[in-house]
Amino acid sequence: MLNLKLEELARSNAELEQFAYVSSHDLQEPLRMIASYLQLLQRKYQGKLDDKADKYIYFAVDGASRMQNLINDLLEFSRVTTKAREFEPTDCKSVLEQVLLDLEVSIKENETSISYGSLPVVMADSVQFTQLFQNLISNAIKFRSEKAPEIEISAKKRD
């Protein structure tokens, strides 16, 4: 009976860690978009509206910033404790298209050109595979020359 409860607790903890990872990871880009638009409002309208409006915009920007820090902390915690899930057939093209939607604001802001063709279905942990695509594309956008980024994604089957 005790062993059964311990197994249930271990499974529950693993699911909680996975949930923390997925939710914090998936919340990053929408929050980034919200924070970006709030900062645009702040830059464009600060001092042009009444003091209350300036104060409300400040609170919104500050709240978004604090939330970004909390999500980053949660993501960092979950990365330390998350274990890989079982591999399953994962459609690379579907994963990529979801990541491109998540990164839409960053892609547009940086005038990024992304091209891809036919992509395979592979055996992978779909959550970690999504993170891989998101990290690779985000890094390609961040760490670049002065030119607008041009990203080409392809796959080749090898032995």
Side-chain angles (χ1 to χ4, degrees), residues 18 40 43 52 57 98 105 107 121-122 124 136 143 147:
Q18 186 68 22
L40 283 172
R43 283 194 300 269
K52 276 189 177 182
I57 291 172
Q98 183 59 54
V105 170
I107 291 168
V121 173
V122 297
L136 288 171
F143 305 109
K147 284 182 19 178

Side-chain angles (χ1 to χ4, degrees), residues 19-72:
F19 174 76
Y21 171 78
V22 170
S23 56
S24 61
H25 186 265
D26 290 350
L27 289 171
Q28 276 187 323
E29 196 56 33
L31 181 58
R32 184 187 166 315
M33 182 177 67
I34 291 167
S36 175
Y37 281 109
L38 286 170
Q39 289 165 354
L40 283 172
L41 279 172
Q42 188 176 43
R43 283 194 300 269
K44 184 168 180 144
Y45 294 108
Q46 189 165 7
K48 295 180 181 175
L49 304 172
D50 64 12
D51 288 341
K52 276 189 177 182
D54 285 347
K55 189 163 87 172
Y56 295 156
I57 291 172
Y58 170 80
F59 288 144
V61 169
D62 183 60
S65 176
R66 285 184 288 122
M67 190 178 291
Q68 280 179 316
N69 290 335
L70 290 170
I71 289 172
N72 287 336

Side-chain angles (χ1 to χ4, degrees), residues 29 99-108 134 137-138:
E29 196 56 33
V99 167
L100 295 178
L101 281 175
D102 292 344
L103 296 174
E104 185 176 11
V105 170
S106 180
I107 291 168
K108 284 182 181 176
Q134 188 158 9
I137 294 169
S138 292

